Amino acid sequence: MSTIAFKLKNLREHIAEAEQNYGRAAGAVKLLAVSKGQPISNLQAAIEAGQRAFGENYVREALLKMDVLSNFNLEWHFIGAIQTNKTKPIAEHFAWAHTIDRLKVAERLNAQRPAYLPPLNVCIEVNIDNEPRKAGVKLIELTELAFTVASFPRLKLRGLMAIPKLRPTFEAQRIAFKKLRIVFEELRNQGLDLDTLSMGMSQDFIAAIAEGTTILRIGTALFGERIKK
Ligand SMILES: *Cc1c(COP(=O)(O)O)cnc(C)c1O
């Protein structure tokens, strides 16, 4: 078994165990393999071990990997910062974009999503710790943006995404995730049909499972350190 296959198996076991420990349904948490900065051979090892969903942050790097791996039926998620001049390739080549953080980006993705593809699955990124210079909408801007994005025909608003500050303890990690879960539930109570909380990374994924994540975005815990760009 390759190292990556071994780590993937371990991760799946940890996820299943945490689902059980925190009262989550079995299989409720999906693992997105974050492959930015990883060589193709690492993605191939994960594919051989059954992984199908991959997260990428840089359009050019992602398109190259999609091309090389086009024989496999993979699901590509864009999880990097979205520059307005990159919305077209994202709309054309990805199944998901997790990082909508302003109206302009949503409008362009909606206009550029090709008619032959199903609507692009999207999440709104929330700056949950209200950090200066951090991506994501502020909580006070969230409701209006969410209702607008939900009305766009070529986008399917699935939920919310956040990258909280890294906190040292499990209990502290839970607090930020809980905050995101509460605003997610508020939006659902206001009538939005959302099913996705994209939260939890290598360092804090158990806390995210405890607080209701549905998509973990995991890179280094699966693939090891990234190649520096
Ligand atoms: C890089 C990245 C990840 C993965 O981080 P790890 O700590 O390597 O698991 C998850 N989400 C986003 C948005 C990222 O940019």
Side-chain angles (χ1 to χ4, degrees):
M1 199 189 275
S2 73
T3 310
I4 287 170
F6 180 75
K7 286 185 179 167
L8 193 54
K9 181 169 169 283
N10 260 321
L11 270 171
R12 289 187 186 128
E13 284 168 7
H14 278 119
I15 292 167
E17 189 181 294
E19 282 173 344
Q20 202 166 32
N21 288 344
Y22 295 101
R24 307 289 312 280
V29 178
K30 173 169 168 162
L31 172 61
L32 181 64
V34 175
S35 46
K36 63 158 178 250
Q38 300 293 343
I40 301 268
S41 57
N42 282 359
L43 283 81
Q44 283 166 327
I47 292 166
E48 264 174 48
Q51 183 65 28
R52 288 295 173 269
F54 290 88
E56 288 281 342
N57 295 54
Y58 308 102
V59 171
R60 209 147 50 103
E61 179 185 344
L63 295 187
L64 199 84
K65 289 172 176 169
M66 287 176 191
D67 191 39
V68 176
L69 300 170
S70 62
N71 285 344
F72 301 98
N73 187 19
L74 304 179
E75 184 179 274
W76 294 95
H77 295 232
F78 192 80
I79 63 169
I82 304 179
Q83 295 161 293
T84 46
N85 65 350
K86 295 285 169 55
T87 52
K88 191 158 188 279
I90 293 170
E92 290 176 348
H93 296 282
F94 285 82
W96 284 73
H98 291 227
T99 43
I100 304 268
D101 63 353
R102 56 197 190 279
L103 180 60
K104 181 81 183 281
V105 161
E107 284 173 342
R108 290 176 63 92
L109 290 171
N110 180 57
Q112 292 166 336
R113 181 66 168 175
Y116 60 85
L117 291 175
L120 179 67
N121 297 293
V122 298
C123 294
I124 294 176
E125 181 173 1
V126 180
N127 184 350
I128 197 70
D129 288 317
N130 211 359
E131 294 172 87
R133 293 181 306 279
K134 181 94 162 234
V137 297
K138 296 195 181 89
L139 281 176
I140 48 161
E141 304 163 338
L142 176 61
T143 305
E144 188 182 345
L145 182 60
F147 274 86
T148 306
V149 172
S151 75
F152 288 167
R154 301 301 298 145
L155 303 182
K156 171 79 187 117
L157 180 63
R158 300 291 297 266
L160 305 179
M161 177 273 203
I163 311 174
K165 275 193 285 213
L166 188 58
R167 294 171 167 88
T169 68
F170 179 77
E171 286 309 320
Q173 290 168 7
R174 281 186 71 156
I175 291 172
F177 291 136
K178 181 177 179 183
K179 206 162 137 188
L180 191 70
R181 173 169 57 79
I182 287 170
V183 294
F184 171 78
E185 282 166 3
E186 281 168 6
L187 290 174
R188 280 168 39 121
N189 291 338
Q190 289 170 56
L192 289 181
D193 176 25
L194 308 179
D195 62 6
T196 299
L197 269 172
S198 168
M199 60 185 198
M201 306 177 22
S202 293
Q203 304 297 324
D204 55 14
F205 70 91
I206 301 290
I209 294 171
E211 292 298 341
T213 186
T214 66
I215 301 184
L216 298 172
R217 306 178 314 267
I218 295 191
T220 47
L222 171 58
F223 292 120
E225 290 305 316
R226 290 178 270 275
I227 299 165
K228 256 216 139 67
K229 285 187 58 103

